[in-house]
Each structure stands twice: as C-alpha cells, then as structure tokens.
Amino acid sequence: MSSVEPIAFRLTRGADLKQSILDAVKMHHIQAGCVASLVGCLSELKIRVADGKSTLSKIEPFEILSVSGTLTPEHVHLHISVADKQGAVIGGHMMEGCIVSHTAEVCLLKFAGYGFSREHDPDTGYTELVVSKD
C-alpha cells in the first residue's frame, strides 16, 4: 500500500536551493517524491532555458513564485519561476547556483511504495523519469 509523507524545512541565506533539496532527499531516504510547494527569495539565479542547451545566470534579487519537479534518490528534476524587482517573470530548468537570499520555505512529498529513477531516452537525449511500484 502506498502513502504520502510530507517533509518541510526552511533554508536560509547562502543555501544552494537545488543542492539543499537533493540533500533533503538523501537525508529522508526519498525513493520517489515531488515538490509540493516552495516560496522564498534568491540573490542568484541559474537556469537552463527552453532550448535545452543555453543557460541564464543573473545576480539580482528574485522572488520565487513556484518550483515543481520530481525527486529521485540521485537526481532532482526541478523547474523554477521567479519574478525580478520589476515583477517580470522568468523561469526554466533549475541548476545548481540558485542561491537563497533571505529564506526559502520548502515542502516536499515522499511517496512510499514507489520508486523513481532516471534512464537515458535516445528520443529526447535526456535521462527521463522511470516509475516503479512496489
């Protein structure tokens, strides 16, 4: 039987958002999970944009509007939307280097009875999600 376990924590100034989520996945032994909610502020943003190759890095204040993604034991696949100081929204595939400026409130969900992994898909050229059920 499967169940869902919530995991919530707060990150503070200087934390790398993606690495901190991966650390939480390992600490809580998440075999399959997702981001339920994530809000806060960044001082640095690093994302891969929609062409799948180009990256965008900016050092300025950002408000995190949303983060979504899947969590596997060795990899977190996360997308982020942020607003700059004028309210303009930008987003993409979150990379290491998204640095918390003040705080980030993170709520994750752990799915017992499931396993998520990633395998190379020759059609997309990326490692794609594989779902297994106990």
Side-chain angles (χ1 to χ4, degrees), residues 76-99:
V76 292
H77 181 194
L78 305 170
H79 289 191
I80 186 168
S81 297
V82 297
D84 66 15
K85 59 186 175 183
Q86 287 80 34
V89 176
I90 189 167
H93 178 90
M94 185 191 302
M95 300 179 69
E96 287 83 5
C98 290
I99 306 301

mmCIF file with all atom_site columns, all heavy atoms in Angstrom, residues 76-99:
data_model
loop_
_atom_site.group_PDB
_atom_site.id
_atom_site.type_symbol
_atom_site.label_atom_id
_atom_site.label_alt_id
_atom_site.label_comp_id
_atom_site.label_asym_id
_atom_site.label_entity_id
_atom_site.label_seq_id
_atom_site.pdbx_PDB_ins_code
_atom_site.Cartn_x
_atom_site.Cartn_y
_atom_site.Cartn_z
_atom_site.occupancy
_atom_site.B_iso_or_equiv
_atom_site.pdbx_formal_charge
_atom_site.auth_seq_id
_atom_site.auth_comp_id
_atom_site.auth_asym_id
_atom_site.auth_atom_id
_atom_site.pdbx_PDB_model_num
ATOM 1   N N   . VAL A 1 76 ? 17.393 15.387 -8.754  1.00 0.00 ? 76 VAL A N   1
ATOM 2   C CA  . VAL A 1 76 ? 16.166 16.158 -8.618  1.00 0.00 ? 76 VAL A CA  1
ATOM 3   C C   . VAL A 1 76 ? 15.967 16.930 -9.918  1.00 0.00 ? 76 VAL A C   1
ATOM 4   O O   . VAL A 1 76 ? 16.864 17.611 -10.389 1.00 0.00 ? 76 VAL A O   1
ATOM 5   C CB  . VAL A 1 76 ? 16.185 17.082 -7.384  1.00 0.00 ? 76 VAL A CB  1
ATOM 6   C CG1 . VAL A 1 76 ? 16.167 16.259 -6.107  1.00 0.00 ? 76 VAL A CG1 1
ATOM 7   C CG2 . VAL A 1 76 ? 17.380 18.021 -7.372  1.00 0.00 ? 76 VAL A CG2 1
ATOM 8   N N   . HIS A 1 77 ? 14.803 16.767 -10.535 1.00 0.00 ? 77 HIS A N   1
ATOM 9   C CA  . HIS A 1 77 ? 14.464 17.453 -11.785 1.00 0.00 ? 77 HIS A CA  1
ATOM 10  C C   . HIS A 1 77 ? 13.484 18.559 -11.419 1.00 0.00 ? 77 HIS A C   1
ATOM 11  O O   . HIS A 1 77 ? 12.321 18.293 -11.122 1.00 0.00 ? 77 HIS A O   1
ATOM 12  C CB  . HIS A 1 77 ? 13.844 16.466 -12.766 1.00 0.00 ? 77 HIS A CB  1
ATOM 13  C CG  . HIS A 1 77 ? 13.499 17.088 -14.083 1.00 0.00 ? 77 HIS A CG  1
ATOM 14  N ND1 . HIS A 1 77 ? 12.699 16.455 -14.985 1.00 0.00 ? 77 HIS A ND1 1
ATOM 15  C CD2 . HIS A 1 77 ? 13.856 18.271 -14.656 1.00 0.00 ? 77 HIS A CD2 1
ATOM 16  C CE1 . HIS A 1 77 ? 12.566 17.224 -16.060 1.00 0.00 ? 77 HIS A CE1 1
ATOM 17  N NE2 . HIS A 1 77 ? 13.258 18.333 -15.870 1.00 0.00 ? 77 HIS A NE2 1
ATOM 18  N N   . LEU A 1 78 ? 13.983 19.803 -11.423 1.00 0.00 ? 78 LEU A N   1
ATOM 19  C CA  . LEU A 1 78 ? 13.221 20.928 -10.901 1.00 0.00 ? 78 LEU A CA  1
ATOM 20  C C   . LEU A 1 78 ? 13.098 22.051 -11.918 1.00 0.00 ? 78 LEU A C   1
ATOM 21  O O   . LEU A 1 78 ? 14.065 22.381 -12.608 1.00 0.00 ? 78 LEU A O   1
ATOM 22  C CB  . LEU A 1 78 ? 13.913 21.480 -9.643  1.00 0.00 ? 78 LEU A CB  1
ATOM 23  C CG  . LEU A 1 78 ? 14.164 20.476 -8.526  1.00 0.00 ? 78 LEU A CG  1
ATOM 24  C CD1 . LEU A 1 78 ? 15.068 21.076 -7.465  1.00 0.00 ? 78 LEU A CD1 1
ATOM 25  C CD2 . LEU A 1 78 ? 12.849 20.015 -7.921  1.00 0.00 ? 78 LEU A CD2 1
ATOM 26  N N   . HIS A 1 79 ? 11.913 22.646 -11.973 1.00 0.00 ? 79 HIS A N   1
ATOM 27  C CA  . HIS A 1 79 ? 11.677 23.847 -12.765 1.00 0.00 ? 79 HIS A CA  1
ATOM 28  C C   . HIS A 1 79 ? 11.286 24.959 -11.803 1.00 0.00 ? 79 HIS A C   1
ATOM 29  O O   . HIS A 1 79 ? 10.612 24.710 -10.804 1.00 0.00 ? 79 HIS A O   1
ATOM 30  C CB  . HIS A 1 79 ? 10.576 23.617 -13.785 1.00 0.00 ? 79 HIS A CB  1
ATOM 31  C CG  . HIS A 1 79 ? 10.992 22.709 -14.893 1.00 0.00 ? 79 HIS A CG  1
ATOM 32  N ND1 . HIS A 1 79 ? 10.249 22.538 -16.026 1.00 0.00 ? 79 HIS A ND1 1
ATOM 33  C CD2 . HIS A 1 79 ? 12.093 21.915 -15.048 1.00 0.00 ? 79 HIS A CD2 1
ATOM 34  C CE1 . HIS A 1 79 ? 10.855 21.691 -16.834 1.00 0.00 ? 79 HIS A CE1 1
ATOM 35  N NE2 . HIS A 1 79 ? 11.973 21.279 -16.252 1.00 0.00 ? 79 HIS A NE2 1
ATOM 36  N N   . ILE A 1 80 ? 11.729 26.189 -12.114 1.00 0.00 ? 80 ILE A N   1
ATOM 37  C CA  . ILE A 1 80 ? 11.521 27.316 -11.227 1.00 0.00 ? 80 ILE A CA  1
ATOM 38  C C   . ILE A 1 80 ? 10.980 28.509 -12.006 1.00 0.00 ? 80 ILE A C   1
ATOM 39  O O   . ILE A 1 80 ? 11.368 28.732 -13.153 1.00 0.00 ? 80 ILE A O   1
ATOM 40  C CB  . ILE A 1 80 ? 12.835 27.696 -10.497 1.00 0.00 ? 80 ILE A CB  1
ATOM 41  C CG1 . ILE A 1 80 ? 12.609 28.782 -9.446  1.00 0.00 ? 80 ILE A CG1 1
ATOM 42  C CG2 . ILE A 1 80 ? 13.933 28.074 -11.485 1.00 0.00 ? 80 ILE A CG2 1
ATOM 43  C CD1 . ILE A 1 80 ? 13.792 28.991 -8.507  1.00 0.00 ? 80 ILE A CD1 1
ATOM 44  N N   . SER A 1 81 ? 10.058 29.239 -11.371 1.00 0.00 ? 81 SER A N   1
ATOM 45  C CA  . SER A 1 81 ? 9.577  30.525 -11.872 1.00 0.00 ? 81 SER A CA  1
ATOM 46  C C   . SER A 1 81 ? 9.888  31.563 -10.813 1.00 0.00 ? 81 SER A C   1
ATOM 47  O O   . SER A 1 81 ? 9.603  31.349 -9.625  1.00 0.00 ? 81 SER A O   1
ATOM 48  C CB  . SER A 1 81 ? 8.068  30.511 -12.103 1.00 0.00 ? 81 SER A CB  1
ATOM 49  O OG  . SER A 1 81 ? 7.731  29.571 -13.087 1.00 0.00 ? 81 SER A OG  1
ATOM 50  N N   . VAL A 1 82 ? 10.472 32.689 -11.250 1.00 0.00 ? 82 VAL A N   1
ATOM 51  C CA  . VAL A 1 82 ? 10.813 33.772 -10.332 1.00 0.00 ? 82 VAL A CA  1
ATOM 52  C C   . VAL A 1 82 ? 10.376 35.098 -10.932 1.00 0.00 ? 82 VAL A C   1
ATOM 53  O O   . VAL A 1 82 ? 10.198 35.222 -12.145 1.00 0.00 ? 82 VAL A O   1
ATOM 54  C CB  . VAL A 1 82 ? 12.337 33.817 -10.028 1.00 0.00 ? 82 VAL A CB  1
ATOM 55  C CG1 . VAL A 1 82 ? 12.789 32.540 -9.330  1.00 0.00 ? 82 VAL A CG1 1
ATOM 56  C CG2 . VAL A 1 82 ? 13.148 34.072 -11.282 1.00 0.00 ? 82 VAL A CG2 1
ATOM 57  N N   . ALA A 1 83 ? 10.227 36.101 -10.073 1.00 0.00 ? 83 ALA A N   1
ATOM 58  C CA  . ALA A 1 83 ? 9.933  37.463 -10.510 1.00 0.00 ? 83 ALA A CA  1
ATOM 59  C C   . ALA A 1 83 ? 11.083 38.362 -10.082 1.00 0.00 ? 83 ALA A C   1
ATOM 60  O O   . ALA A 1 83 ? 11.601 38.246 -8.964  1.00 0.00 ? 83 ALA A O   1
ATOM 61  C CB  . ALA A 1 83 ? 8.627  37.953 -9.904  1.00 0.00 ? 83 ALA A CB  1
ATOM 62  N N   . ASP A 1 84 ? 11.470 39.291 -10.979 1.00 0.00 ? 84 ASP A N   1
ATOM 63  C CA  . ASP A 1 84 ? 12.522 40.248 -10.635 1.00 0.00 ? 84 ASP A CA  1
ATOM 64  C C   . ASP A 1 84 ? 11.914 41.455 -9.930  1.00 0.00 ? 84 ASP A C   1
ATOM 65  O O   . ASP A 1 84 ? 10.706 41.488 -9.645  1.00 0.00 ? 84 ASP A O   1
ATOM 66  C CB  . ASP A 1 84 ? 13.350 40.637 -11.868 1.00 0.00 ? 84 ASP A CB  1
ATOM 67  C CG  . ASP A 1 84 ? 12.569 41.407 -12.919 1.00 0.00 ? 84 ASP A CG  1
ATOM 68  O OD1 . ASP A 1 84 ? 11.455 41.918 -12.637 1.00 0.00 ? 84 ASP A OD1 1
ATOM 69  O OD2 . ASP A 1 84 ? 13.076 41.508 -14.056 1.00 0.00 ? 84 ASP A OD2 1
ATOM 70  N N   . LYS A 1 85 ? 12.722 42.480 -9.652  1.00 0.00 ? 85 LYS A N   1
ATOM 71  C CA  . LYS A 1 85 ? 12.240 43.622 -8.872  1.00 0.00 ? 85 LYS A CA  1
ATOM 72  C C   . LYS A 1 85 ? 11.216 44.472 -9.616  1.00 0.00 ? 85 LYS A C   1
ATOM 73  O O   . LYS A 1 85 ? 10.524 45.274 -9.002  1.00 0.00 ? 85 LYS A O   1
ATOM 74  C CB  . LYS A 1 85 ? 13.407 44.465 -8.362  1.00 0.00 ? 85 LYS A CB  1
ATOM 75  C CG  . LYS A 1 85 ? 14.297 45.030 -9.411  1.00 0.00 ? 85 LYS A CG  1
ATOM 76  C CD  . LYS A 1 85 ? 15.484 45.713 -8.772  1.00 0.00 ? 85 LYS A CD  1
ATOM 77  C CE  . LYS A 1 85 ? 16.456 46.171 -9.847  1.00 0.00 ? 85 LYS A CE  1
ATOM 78  N NZ  . LYS A 1 85 ? 17.641 46.756 -9.258  1.00 0.00 ? 85 LYS A NZ  1
ATOM 79  N N   . GLN A 1 86 ? 11.076 44.284 -10.932 1.00 0.00 ? 86 GLN A N   1
ATOM 80  C CA  . GLN A 1 86 ? 10.023 44.965 -11.689 1.00 0.00 ? 86 GLN A CA  1
ATOM 81  C C   . GLN A 1 86 ? 8.770  44.094 -11.816 1.00 0.00 ? 86 GLN A C   1
ATOM 82  O O   . GLN A 1 86 ? 7.765  44.516 -12.380 1.00 0.00 ? 86 GLN A O   1
ATOM 83  C CB  . GLN A 1 86 ? 10.512 45.332 -13.107 1.00 0.00 ? 86 GLN A CB  1
ATOM 84  C CG  . GLN A 1 86 ? 11.492 46.487 -13.146 1.00 0.00 ? 86 GLN A CG  1
ATOM 85  C CD  . GLN A 1 86 ? 12.911 46.052 -12.787 1.00 0.00 ? 86 GLN A CD  1
ATOM 86  O OE1 . GLN A 1 86 ? 13.340 44.949 -13.094 1.00 0.00 ? 86 GLN A OE1 1
ATOM 87  N NE2 . GLN A 1 86 ? 13.625 46.923 -12.103 1.00 0.00 ? 86 GLN A NE2 1
ATOM 88  N N   . GLY A 1 87 ? 8.841  42.864 -11.337 1.00 0.00 ? 87 GLY A N   1
ATOM 89  C CA  . GLY A 1 87 ? 7.717  41.947 -11.422 1.00 0.00 ? 87 GLY A CA  1
ATOM 90  C C   . GLY A 1 87 ? 7.713  41.094 -12.673 1.00 0.00 ? 87 GLY A C   1
ATOM 91  O O   . GLY A 1 87 ? 6.791  40.308 -12.884 1.00 0.00 ? 87 GLY A O   1
ATOM 92  N N   . ALA A 1 88 ? 8.734  41.224 -13.511 1.00 0.00 ? 88 ALA A N   1
ATOM 93  C CA  . ALA A 1 88 ? 8.825  40.397 -14.714 1.00 0.00 ? 88 ALA A CA  1
ATOM 94  C C   . ALA A 1 88 ? 9.157  38.963 -14.315 1.00 0.00 ? 88 ALA A C   1
ATOM 95  O O   . ALA A 1 88 ? 10.016 38.730 -13.462 1.00 0.00 ? 88 ALA A O   1
ATOM 96  C CB  . ALA A 1 88 ? 9.889  40.954 -15.661 1.00 0.00 ? 88 ALA A CB  1
ATOM 97  N N   . VAL A 1 89 ? 8.482  38.021 -14.936 1.00 0.00 ? 89 VAL A N   1
ATOM 98  C CA  . VAL A 1 89 ? 8.631  36.605 -14.577 1.00 0.00 ? 89 VAL A CA  1
ATOM 99  C C   . VAL A 1 89 ? 9.526  35.910 -15.597 1.00 0.00 ? 89 VAL A C   1
ATOM 100 O O   . VAL A 1 89 ? 9.429  36.140 -16.795 1.00 0.00 ? 89 VAL A O   1
ATOM 101 C CB  . VAL A 1 89 ? 7.258  35.914 -14.514 1.00 0.00 ? 89 VAL A CB  1
ATOM 102 C CG1 . VAL A 1 89 ? 7.397  34.422 -14.236 1.00 0.00 ? 89 VAL A CG1 1
ATOM 103 C CG2 . VAL A 1 89 ? 6.387  36.576 -13.456 1.00 0.00 ? 89 VAL A CG2 1
ATOM 104 N N   . ILE A 1 90 ? 10.391 35.060 -15.070 1.00 0.00 ? 90 ILE A N   1
ATOM 105 C CA  . ILE A 1 90 ? 11.267 34.231 -15.894 1.00 0.00 ? 90 ILE A CA  1
ATOM 106 C C   . ILE A 1 90 ? 11.333 32.858 -15.252 1.00 0.00 ? 90 ILE A C   1
ATOM 107 O O   . ILE A 1 90 ? 11.148 32.721 -14.038 1.00 0.00 ? 90 ILE A O   1
ATOM 108 C CB  . ILE A 1 90 ? 12.673 34.860 -16.019 1.00 0.00 ? 90 ILE A CB  1
ATOM 109 C CG1 . ILE A 1 90 ? 13.490 34.104 -17.056 1.00 0.00 ? 90 ILE A CG1 1
ATOM 110 C CG2 . ILE A 1 90 ? 13.366 34.943 -14.680 1.00 0.00 ? 90 ILE A CG2 1
ATOM 111 C CD1 . ILE A 1 90 ? 14.744 34.828 -17.470 1.00 0.00 ? 90 ILE A CD1 1
ATOM 112 N N   . GLY A 1 91 ? 11.588 31.859 -16.053 1.00 0.00 ? 91 GLY A N   1
ATOM 113 C CA  . GLY A 1 91 ? 11.680 30.524 -15.481 1.00 0.00 ? 91 GLY A CA  1
ATOM 114 C C   . GLY A 1 91 ? 12.398 29.571 -16.397 1.00 0.00 ? 91 GLY A C   1
ATOM 115 O O   . GLY A 1 91 ? 12.709 29.892 -17.545 1.00 0.00 ? 91 GLY A O   1
ATOM 116 N N   . GLY A 1 92 ? 12.659 28.397 -15.859 1.00 0.00 ? 92 GLY A N   1
ATOM 117 C CA  . GLY A 1 92 ? 13.327 27.356 -16.616 1.00 0.00 ? 92 GLY A CA  1
ATOM 118 C C   . GLY A 1 92 ? 13.714 26.205 -15.716 1.00 0.00 ? 92 GLY A C   1
ATOM 119 O O   . GLY A 1 92 ? 13.233 26.065 -14.593 1.00 0.00 ? 92 GLY A O   1
ATOM 120 N N   . HIS A 1 93 ? 14.631 25.391 -16.231 1.00 0.00 ? 93 HIS A N   1
ATOM 121 C CA  . HIS A 1 93 ? 15.144 24.218 -15.524 1.00 0.00 ? 93 HIS A CA  1
ATOM 122 C C   . HIS A 1 93 ? 16.170 24.680 -14.484 1.00 0.00 ? 93 HIS A C   1
ATOM 123 O O   . HIS A 1 93 ? 17.177 25.289 -14.839 1.00 0.00 ? 93 HIS A O   1
ATOM 124 C CB  . HIS A 1 93 ? 15.792 23.282 -16.547 1.00 0.00 ? 93 HIS A CB  1
ATOM 125 C CG  . HIS A 1 93 ? 16.411 22.067 -15.962 1.00 0.00 ? 93 HIS A CG  1
ATOM 126 N ND1 . HIS A 1 93 ? 15.713 20.894 -15.788 1.00 0.00 ? 93 HIS A ND1 1
ATOM 127 C CD2 . HIS A 1 93 ? 17.666 21.841 -15.523 1.00 0.00 ? 93 HIS A CD2 1
ATOM 128 C CE1 . HIS A 1 93 ? 16.533 19.994 -15.257 1.00 0.00 ? 93 HIS A CE1 1
ATOM 129 N NE2 . HIS A 1 93 ? 17.714 20.537 -15.089 1.00 0.00 ? 93 HIS A NE2 1
ATOM 130 N N   . MET A 1 94 ? 15.885 24.427 -13.207 1.00 0.00 ? 94 MET A N   1
ATOM 131 C CA  . MET A 1 94 ? 16.776 24.881 -12.136 1.00 0.00 ? 94 MET A CA  1
ATOM 132 C C   . MET A 1 94 ? 18.104 24.143 -12.173 1.00 0.00 ? 94 MET A C   1
ATOM 133 O O   . MET A 1 94 ? 18.145 22.923 -12.306 1.00 0.00 ? 94 MET A O   1
ATOM 134 C CB  . MET A 1 94 ? 16.134 24.656 -10.764 1.00 0.00 ? 94 MET A CB  1
ATOM 135 C CG  . MET A 1 94 ? 16.953 25.220 -9.616  1.00 0.00 ? 94 MET A CG  1
ATOM 136 S SD  . MET A 1 94 ? 16.400 24.700 -7.972  1.00 0.00 ? 94 MET A SD  1
ATOM 137 C CE  . MET A 1 94 ? 14.730 25.262 -7.947  1.00 0.00 ? 94 MET A CE  1
ATOM 138 N N   . MET A 1 95 ? 19.168 24.925 -12.047 1.00 0.00 ? 95 MET A N   1
ATOM 139 C CA  . MET A 1 95 ? 20.511 24.364 -11.983 1.00 0.00 ? 95 MET A CA  1
ATOM 140 C C   . MET A 1 95 ? 21.125 24.718 -10.626 1.00 0.00 ? 95 MET A C   1
ATOM 141 O O   . MET A 1 95 ? 20.597 25.563 -9.903  1.00 0.00 ? 95 MET A O   1
ATOM 142 C CB  . MET A 1 95 ? 21.351 24.928 -13.128 1.00 0.00 ? 95 MET A CB  1
ATOM 143 C CG  . MET A 1 95 ? 20.772 24.587 -14.496 1.00 0.00 ? 95 MET A CG  1
ATOM 144 S SD  . MET A 1 95 ? 21.724 25.256 -15.846 1.00 0.00 ? 95 MET A SD  1
ATOM 145 C CE  . MET A 1 95 ? 23.190 24.243 -15.704 1.00 0.00 ? 95 MET A CE  1
ATOM 146 N N   . GLU A 1 96 ? 22.249 24.055 -10.299 1.00 0.00 ? 96 GLU A N   1
ATOM 147 C CA  . GLU A 1 96 ? 22.986 24.451 -9.116  1.00 0.00 ? 96 GLU A CA  1
ATOM 148 C C   . GLU A 1 96 ? 23.404 25.903 -9.310  1.00 0.00 ? 96 GLU A C   1
ATOM 149 O O   . GLU A 1 96 ? 23.688 26.334 -10.424 1.00 0.00 ? 96 GLU A O   1
ATOM 150 C CB  . GLU A 1 96 ? 24.222 23.575 -8.910  1.00 0.00 ? 96 GLU A CB  1
ATOM 151 C CG  . GLU A 1 96 ? 23.912 22.171 -8.420  1.00 0.00 ? 96 GLU A CG  1
ATOM 152 C CD  . GLU A 1 96 ? 23.532 21.217 -9.552  1.00 0.00 ? 96 GLU A CD  1
ATOM 153 O OE1 . GLU A 1 96 ? 23.598 21.614 -10.733 1.00 0.00 ? 96 GLU A OE1 1
ATOM 154 O OE2 . GLU A 1 96 ? 23.146 20.088 -9.250  1.00 0.00 ? 96 GLU A OE2 1
ATOM 155 N N   . GLY A 1 97 ? 23.407 26.673 -8.219  1.00 0.00 ? 97 GLY A N   1
ATOM 156 C CA  . GLY A 1 97 ? 23.772 28.080 -8.306  1.00 0.00 ? 97 GLY A CA  1
ATOM 157 C C   . GLY A 1 97 ? 22.605 29.013 -8.065  1.00 0.00 ? 97 GLY A C   1
ATOM 158 O O   . GLY A 1 97 ? 22.771 30.227 -8.142  1.00 0.00 ? 97 GLY A O   1
ATOM 159 N N   . CYS A 1 98 ? 21.417 28.466 -7.780  1.00 0.00 ? 98 CYS A N   1
ATOM 160 C CA  . CYS A 1 98 ? 20.296 29.294 -7.338  1.00 0.00 ? 98 CYS A CA  1
ATOM 161 C C   . CYS A 1 98 ? 20.476 29.475 -5.834  1.00 0.00 ? 98 CYS A C   1
ATOM 162 O O   . CYS A 1 98 ? 20.277 28.538 -5.053  1.00 0.00 ? 98 CYS A O   1
ATOM 163 C CB  . CYS A 1 98 ? 18.962 28.626 -7.645  1.00 0.00 ? 98 CYS A CB  1
ATOM 164 S SG  . CYS A 1 98 ? 18.561 28.567 -9.399  1.00 0.00 ? 98 CYS A SG  1
ATOM 165 N N   . ILE A 1 99 ? 20.881 30.687 -5.435  1.00 0.00 ? 99 ILE A N   1
ATOM 166 C CA  . ILE A 1 99 ? 21.294 30.933 -4.055  1.00 0.00 ? 99 ILE A CA  1
ATOM 167 C C   . ILE A 1 99 ? 20.205 31.697 -3.296  1.00 0.00 ? 99 ILE A C   1
ATOM 168 O O   . ILE A 1 99 ? 19.751 32.759 -3.744  1.00 0.00 ? 99 ILE A O   1
ATOM 169 C CB  . ILE A 1 99 ? 22.627 31.716 -4.015  1.00 0.00 ? 99 ILE A CB  1
ATOM 170 C CG1 . ILE A 1 99 ? 23.708 30.996 -4.839  1.00 0.00 ? 99 ILE A CG1 1
ATOM 171 C CG2 . ILE A 1 99 ? 23.074 31.950 -2.575  1.00 0.00 ? 99 ILE A CG2 1
ATOM 172 C CD1 . ILE A 1 99 ? 24.022 29.579 -4.393  1.00 0.00 ? 99 ILE A CD1 1
#
